[in-house]
Amino acid sequence: MSHQITTLFDMFDPTGRGSISAEQYQQALLSLGIDTPVGSMDQDRIDRKTFATSMFAEIKALST
């Protein structure tokens, strides 16, 4: 699963900046079918580690 999350992040960070915008983060959630996330992201820029941690939490919440 971690490879897929990394790939998803890379799709939204094609220039390799190492972070994505909050809007891109929301689009990534939507691409996974998550339109009502359990967590909130109140950062302007989201780095790879924060993205992965959050996505794993959102996916886990879907299965409960």
Side-chain angles (χ1 to χ4, degrees):
M1 175 63 76
S2 67
H3 178 69
Q4 291 92 346
I5 297 296
T6 300
T7 300
L8 182 61
F9 180 87
D10 290 343
M11 287 172 51
F12 285 94
D13 182 29
T15 59
R17 295 175 120 190
S19 66
I20 61 173
S21 70
E23 289 179 20
Q24 289 170 308
Y25 173 78
Q26 291 299 321
Q27 287 299 315
L29 287 171
L30 290 174
S31 73
L32 294 176
I34 301 169
D35 55 357
T36 308
V38 294
S40 64
M41 189 63 63
D42 53 351
Q43 298 172 297
D44 291 335
R45 304 291 302 173
I46 294 95
D47 64 22
R48 181 184 303 271
K49 182 177 178 183
T50 302
F51 179 87
T53 301
S54 178
M55 287 295 162
F56 280 121
E58 294 295 340
I59 293 167
K60 184 177 179 180
L62 287 176
S63 65
T64 57

